[in-house]
mmCIF file of all heavy atoms in Angstrom:
data_model
loop_
_atom_site.group_PDB
_atom_site.id
_atom_site.type_symbol
_atom_site.label_atom_id
_atom_site.label_comp_id
_atom_site.label_asym_id
_atom_site.label_seq_id
_atom_site.Cartn_x
_atom_site.Cartn_y
_atom_site.Cartn_z
ATOM 1 N N LEU A 238 -157.123 60.235 19.649
ATOM 2 C CA LEU A 238 -157.221 59.664 20.996
ATOM 3 C C LEU A 238 -157.833 58.259 20.984
ATOM 4 O O LEU A 238 -158.843 57.999 21.658
ATOM 5 C CB LEU A 238 -158.049 60.594 21.912
ATOM 6 C CG LEU A 238 -157.476 61.992 22.135
ATOM 7 C CD1 LEU A 238 -158.389 62.816 23.032
ATOM 8 C CD2 LEU A 238 -156.071 61.950 22.731
ATOM 9 N N PRO A 239 -157.245 57.329 20.235
ATOM 10 C CA PRO A 239 -157.866 56.011 20.083
ATOM 11 C C PRO A 239 -158.048 55.249 21.392
ATOM 12 O O PRO A 239 -158.923 54.392 21.476
ATOM 13 C CB PRO A 239 -156.892 55.257 19.156
ATOM 14 C CG PRO A 239 -155.630 56.029 19.175
ATOM 15 C CD PRO A 239 -155.979 57.445 19.497
ATOM 16 N N SER A 240 -157.279 55.594 22.428
ATOM 17 C CA SER A 240 -157.438 54.826 23.673
ATOM 18 C C SER A 240 -158.574 55.358 24.551
ATOM 19 O O SER A 240 -158.831 54.825 25.631
ATOM 20 C CB SER A 240 -156.122 54.847 24.460
ATOM 21 O OG SER A 240 -155.734 56.171 24.691
ATOM 22 N N PHE A 241 -159.285 56.406 24.086
ATOM 23 C CA PHE A 241 -160.387 56.971 24.864
ATOM 24 C C PHE A 241 -161.726 56.517 24.285
ATOM 25 O O PHE A 241 -161.823 56.208 23.097
ATOM 26 C CB PHE A 241 -160.335 58.505 24.820
ATOM 27 C CG PHE A 241 -159.236 59.093 25.660
ATOM 28 C CD1 PHE A 241 -157.924 59.082 25.214
ATOM 29 C CD2 PHE A 241 -159.509 59.659 26.897
ATOM 30 C CE1 PHE A 241 -156.901 59.618 25.986
ATOM 31 C CE2 PHE A 241 -158.492 60.202 27.677
ATOM 32 C CZ PHE A 241 -157.191 60.175 27.221
ATOM 33 N N PRO A 242 -162.798 56.507 25.113
ATOM 34 C CA PRO A 242 -164.120 56.167 24.567
ATOM 35 C C PRO A 242 -164.609 57.239 23.599
ATOM 36 O O PRO A 242 -164.172 58.399 23.671
ATOM 37 C CB PRO A 242 -165.013 56.097 25.808
ATOM 38 C CG PRO A 242 -164.263 56.751 26.893
ATOM 39 C CD PRO A 242 -162.814 56.741 26.547
ATOM 40 N N GLU A 243 -165.545 56.868 22.732
ATOM 41 C CA GLU A 243 -165.968 57.764 21.638
ATOM 42 C C GLU A 243 -166.502 59.109 22.156
ATOM 43 O O GLU A 243 -166.238 60.148 21.568
ATOM 44 C CB GLU A 243 -166.997 57.051 20.746
ATOM 45 C CG GLU A 243 -167.543 57.869 19.589
ATOM 46 C CD GLU A 243 -166.478 58.634 18.760
ATOM 47 O OE1 GLU A 243 -165.379 58.102 18.544
ATOM 48 O OE2 GLU A 243 -166.766 59.791 18.360
ATOM 49 N N SER A 244 -167.238 59.098 23.287
ATOM 50 C CA SER A 244 -167.809 60.366 23.763
ATOM 51 C C SER A 244 -166.678 61.367 24.085
ATOM 52 O O SER A 244 -166.802 62.564 23.800
ATOM 53 C CB SER A 244 -168.675 60.120 25.005
ATOM 54 O OG SER A 244 -167.882 59.533 26.020
ATOM 55 N N LEU A 245 -165.587 60.884 24.654
ATOM 56 C CA LEU A 245 -164.484 61.801 24.999
ATOM 57 C C LEU A 245 -163.694 62.214 23.757
ATOM 58 O O LEU A 245 -163.228 63.348 23.651
ATOM 59 C CB LEU A 245 -163.555 61.153 26.028
ATOM 60 C CG LEU A 245 -164.194 60.892 27.399
ATOM 61 C CD1 LEU A 245 -163.173 60.316 28.368
ATOM 62 C CD2 LEU A 245 -164.789 62.173 27.999
ATOM 63 N N ARG A 246 -163.575 61.274 22.806
ATOM 64 C CA ARG A 246 -162.894 61.644 21.545
ATOM 65 C C ARG A 246 -163.663 62.774 20.859
ATOM 66 O O ARG A 246 -163.075 63.720 20.355
ATOM 67 C CB ARG A 246 -162.887 60.461 20.585
ATOM 68 C CG ARG A 246 -161.940 59.377 20.971
ATOM 69 C CD ARG A 246 -161.957 58.354 19.864
ATOM 70 N NE ARG A 246 -161.945 57.032 20.412
ATOM 71 C CZ ARG A 246 -162.380 55.941 19.807
ATOM 72 N NH1 ARG A 246 -162.900 56.009 18.604
ATOM 73 N NH2 ARG A 246 -162.307 54.778 20.373
ATOM 74 N N ALA A 247 -165.012 62.627 20.865
ATOM 75 C CA ALA A 247 -165.841 63.639 20.199
ATOM 76 C C ALA A 247 -165.677 64.982 20.914
ATOM 77 O O ALA A 247 -165.591 66.034 20.277
ATOM 78 C CB ALA A 247 -167.301 63.188 20.198
ATOM 79 N N SER A 248 -165.608 64.939 22.238
ATOM 80 C CA SER A 248 -165.453 66.177 23.007
ATOM 81 C C SER A 248 -164.110 66.841 22.657
ATOM 82 O O SER A 248 -164.037 68.066 22.444
ATOM 83 C CB SER A 248 -165.531 65.835 24.498
ATOM 84 O OG SER A 248 -165.069 66.901 25.259
ATOM 85 N N ALA A 249 -163.046 66.037 22.570
ATOM 86 C CA ALA A 249 -161.721 66.585 22.241
ATOM 87 C C ALA A 249 -161.718 67.151 20.825
ATOM 88 O O ALA A 249 -161.173 68.227 20.564
ATOM 89 C CB ALA A 249 -160.663 65.498 22.372
ATOM 90 N N ARG A 250 -162.387 66.433 19.911
ATOM 91 C CA ARG A 250 -162.440 66.892 18.512
ATOM 92 C C ARG A 250 -163.124 68.260 18.430
ATOM 93 O O ARG A 250 -162.656 69.178 17.775
ATOM 94 C CB ARG A 250 -163.238 65.851 17.704
ATOM 95 C CG ARG A 250 -162.849 65.727 16.271
ATOM 96 C CD ARG A 250 -163.645 64.622 15.605
ATOM 97 N NE ARG A 250 -163.178 63.290 15.924
ATOM 98 C CZ ARG A 250 -163.928 62.304 16.453
ATOM 99 N NH1 ARG A 250 -165.204 62.520 16.748
ATOM 100 N NH2 ARG A 250 -163.423 61.117 16.688
ATOM 101 N N ARG A 251 -164.259 68.379 19.155
ATOM 102 C CA ARG A 251 -164.996 69.660 19.147
ATOM 103 C C ARG A 251 -164.131 70.773 19.743
ATOM 104 O O ARG A 251 -164.065 71.880 19.208
ATOM 105 C CB ARG A 251 -166.289 69.516 19.967
ATOM 106 C CG ARG A 251 -167.437 68.842 19.221
ATOM 107 C CD ARG A 251 -168.765 69.070 19.934
ATOM 108 N NE ARG A 251 -168.744 68.598 21.311
ATOM 109 C CZ ARG A 251 -169.027 67.346 21.692
ATOM 110 N NH1 ARG A 251 -169.363 66.452 20.787
ATOM 111 N NH2 ARG A 251 -168.986 66.996 22.968
ATOM 112 N N ALA A 252 -163.444 70.460 20.842
ATOM 113 C CA ALA A 252 -162.613 71.491 21.498
ATOM 114 C C ALA A 252 -161.492 71.942 20.566
ATOM 115 O O ALA A 252 -161.189 73.136 20.474
ATOM 116 C CB ALA A 252 -162.047 70.943 22.800
ATOM 117 N N LEU A 253 -160.894 70.991 19.848
ATOM 118 C CA LEU A 253 -159.823 71.354 18.909
ATOM 119 C C LEU A 253 -160.372 72.236 17.797
ATOM 120 O O LEU A 253 -159.755 73.243 17.411
ATOM 121 C CB LEU A 253 -159.192 70.094 18.314
ATOM 122 C CG LEU A 253 -158.232 69.328 19.230
ATOM 123 C CD1 LEU A 253 -157.899 67.956 18.646
ATOM 124 C CD2 LEU A 253 -156.942 70.120 19.446
ATOM 125 N N ARG A 254 -161.543 71.866 17.285
ATOM 126 C CA ARG A 254 -162.096 72.654 16.172
ATOM 127 C C ARG A 254 -162.464 74.056 16.634
ATOM 128 O O ARG A 254 -162.290 75.020 15.886
ATOM 129 C CB ARG A 254 -163.289 71.900 15.558
ATOM 130 C CG ARG A 254 -162.771 70.695 14.778
ATOM 131 C CD ARG A 254 -163.810 69.979 13.963
ATOM 132 N NE ARG A 254 -163.135 68.925 13.188
ATOM 133 C CZ ARG A 254 -163.596 67.697 13.013
ATOM 134 N NH1 ARG A 254 -164.765 67.350 13.525
ATOM 135 N NH2 ARG A 254 -162.923 66.825 12.301
#
Side-chain angles (χ1 to χ4, degrees):
L238 298 179
S240 56
F241 286 78
E243 179 46 38
S244 59
L245 295 183
R246 287 185 221 157
S248 165
R250 210 177 283 124
R251 280 195 303 273
L253 284 168
R254 288 188 175 138

